Amino acid sequence: MRIMDLLTDDPHPPGAAVGDPRPGVEPAGAARLRILLAAALGPLVTGYTAVATVLALVALTAGRTAFSGTGVLLAAGPGWLAAHQVPLGLGGHPLGVLPLLPTLGVVALGARTASGAARRLGCRSFREALPVLVTITGAHAVSGLVVALCAQGSPVTANPVTAFAVPGLLAAAASCAGITRSCGLPDVAAERLDPLALRGLRAGAMGLAVLVTCGAAVFTVATGLSWGTVSDSYEPGFGTSFGLFLLSLLYLPNAVTAALSFVAGPGFSVGSLTVGMFGYHGGSVPAVPLLAGLPEHHAAWWPALLVLPAAAGALTGWSLRKVDAEPAQRIRAVAVAGAVVALGCVVLGTLAGGRLGDGPFDPVSVPVGVASVVAFCWIVIPGSFVAFFAGEHEPPAPPPEALEDNEAFEDAEEIDVEAASEAVEELEAAAVSEEDAQFEAEAEAELGLKEPAEAAPETGDAVTGGTETCGDVEPGEGDR
């Protein structure tokens, strides 16, 4: 209870800025140690308790099964590893496709714990919150190693190196997210990222969420249309039906990720079964309600679903249409968003699949490389088109020398772009008119339509008597 109080109590008075310590109070050494200890043990105790509760509930509701409290507590350790995406071995058979729903809960819990600990310690920057990050990461890594070592020789085993590294990396990512929320970005990232890139990151997160929503919608519709098959997959007993329902619920994010890959185009595979937008190869699937909506054959209308990822890309471009007046900068922000979506597809596709024993359903996989490239294209191509044409198009700035002789801009401190463009057009039109008039005058003179004006003698020239006359002009009498 003391640990949860430290994690949930708000030490700031109403109206105080988030991340500021209490006025006039600095955490003492003992207080800092208690906060860090609570941050390290809080997620571990909460996660282990949640896993043990789920296992106990399944054991109590399952028929023809003797409940054992000791067995539940011992099995909760490998279950905790599975929640942290550590591959397990069940009697010598690999189990790598692990449920994503507990993993999402673990990440959310770690991020919230790190954010609360950083606020209680009065951390104002990411650098000051590094002890929180190190403490939470180290606690998860050591706990995973201890559980893996204790499970050696039991029916459920795990690689100690993997059990040390994967929970540590997951905890580090969650802690970074929580600390960034409370203290801002790290100094290195804050110095290198411009506001345009940050807008692209946010738009990419939104685009990934839209793609996940599209996958969830397709999965929901497919399951609803196959509801008869879903009902037949449940057994009459309550305990078995509850276990199947709980299993389907835990693996629901995995199914949504596979549906996302299908909507984007590459598809997914379960053993010999391959389901893609433009290809299908049949095969057997596990008899669980979660997979009851899988199609039995290819349908010609499936490519029509490609409008969903295209709409996600267009929505991303629409959200970035006002980030900059320069179209090239808007397209750069769309490219950043596409990179975020591609990275998210890599992470989700990697975590959603894995080994599933050595039978006909092994492995469950999503083509991560192809899916990430295709998702990037779905965001960048429609998004760039929308961002380019839906945003502003700033006219080119007039050259400074074009406005030097324009009286309207002699005393102006700030030049209006539209007015400057009109002035440049007037100057260009006047120059063209003057050139046309000069050309017409020269043409008329050459054709004899207009006599050229006689050139007046220069002032300094003297006319002498020895100058010969030319043409039809006769000399005067005095000259004779």
Side-chain angles (χ1 to χ4, degrees), residues 238 283 403:
F238 172 77
L403 302 178

Side-chain angles (χ1 to χ4, degrees), residues 55-101:
L55 293 178
L57 189 61
V58 172
L60 287 173
T61 55
R64 299 183 301 274
T65 301
F67 176 78
S68 173
T70 304
V72 168
L73 294 178
L74 292 177
W80 183 87
L81 290 178
H84 288 78
Q85 293 296 311
V86 178
L88 302 176
L90 301 178
H93 301 285
L95 177 61
V97 52
L98 301 169
L100 272 178
L101 186 62

Side-chain angles (χ1 to χ4, degrees), residues 10-415:
D10 189 2
H12 300 284
V18 176
D20 295 339
R22 286 177 291 180
V25 177
E26 292 291 339
R32 290 178 61 87
L33 182 60
R34 288 197 300 269
I35 294 174
L36 292 176
L37 185 62
L41 297 180
L44 298 178
V45 174
T46 304
Y48 182 85
T49 303
V51 172
T53 302
V54 171
L55 293 178
L57 189 61
V58 172
L60 287 173
T61 55
R64 299 183 301 274
T65 301
F67 176 78
S68 173
T70 304
V72 168
L73 294 178
L74 292 177
W80 183 87
L81 290 178
H84 288 78
Q85 293 296 311
V86 178
L88 302 176
L90 301 178
H93 301 285
L95 177 61
V97 52
L98 301 169
L100 272 178
L101 186 62
T103 305
L104 296 177
V106 165
V107 172
L109 179 61
R112 182 178 179 182
T113 302
S115 177
R119 288 199 304 266
R120 285 164 180 78
L121 291 175
C123 300
R124 300 174 182 267
S125 65
F126 196 94
R127 184 184 299 273
E128 295 179 357
L130 282 179
V132 178
L133 172 63
V134 173
T135 301
I136 296 178
T137 302
H140 281 74
V142 172
S143 298
L145 178 61
V146 170
V147 172
L149 292 177
C150 294
Q152 295 298 317
S154 64
V156 182
T157 60
N159 188 333
V161 177
T162 307
F164 175 83
V166 175
L169 291 175
L170 199 64
S175 300
C176 287
I179 294 173
T180 300
R181 180 181 178 184
S182 297
C183 305
L185 290 171
D187 297 336
V188 177
E191 293 174 358
R192 295 180 179 272
L193 289 178
D194 58 352
L196 194 67
L198 291 177
R199 290 293 301 272
L201 291 175
R202 298 191 187 98
M206 182 203 68
L208 181 61
V210 172
L211 284 178
V212 171
T213 303
C214 293
V218 171
F219 171 79
T220 302
V221 172
T223 304
L225 294 177
S226 305
W227 188 250
T229 307
V230 174
S231 301
D232 295 339
S233 62
Y234 285 103
E235 297 186 7
F238 172 77
T240 304
S241 298
F242 178 76
L244 290 175
F245 171 77
L246 186 60
L247 181 67
S248 299
L249 182 63
L250 295 177
Y251 278 94
L252 182 60
N254 302 62
V256 170
T257 302
L260 184 157
S261 181
F262 170 75
V263 170
F268 59 93
S269 63
V270 180
S272 60
L273 173 67
T274 302
V275 181
M277 186 66 68
F278 302 99
Y280 181 90
H281 185 274
S284 58
V285 295
V288 294
L290 186 69
L291 302 178
L294 287 177
E296 297 180 355
H297 53 81
H298 184 268
W301 59 268
W302 283 357
L305 295 175
L306 294 176
V307 70
L308 297 178
L315 182 61
T316 303
W318 180 262
S319 66
L320 295 173
R321 71 190 187 280
K322 295 182 179 180
V323 295
D324 198 277
E326 182 66 26
Q329 297 299 322
R330 297 197 295 269
I331 294 177
R332 184 165 70 91
V334 174
V336 173
V340 172
V341 172
L343 179 61
C345 290
V346 169
V347 174
L348 291 176
T350 302
L351 297 179
R355 297 293 304 276
L356 187 58
D358 298 316
F361 311 130
D362 179 46
V364 178
S365 63
V366 172
V368 175
V370 178
S372 61
V373 173
V374 171
F376 177 82
C377 295
W378 280 124
I379 295 298
V380 171
I381 296 176
S384 299
F385 184 85
V386 173
F388 183 87
F389 290 101
E392 300 178 359
H393 290 269
E394 184 178 357
E401 60 271 10
L403 302 178
E404 290 179 356
D405 299 333
N406 195 305
E407 299 178 356
F409 298 95
E410 289 182 355
D411 301 329
E413 296 180 356
E414 297 182 358
I415 297 177

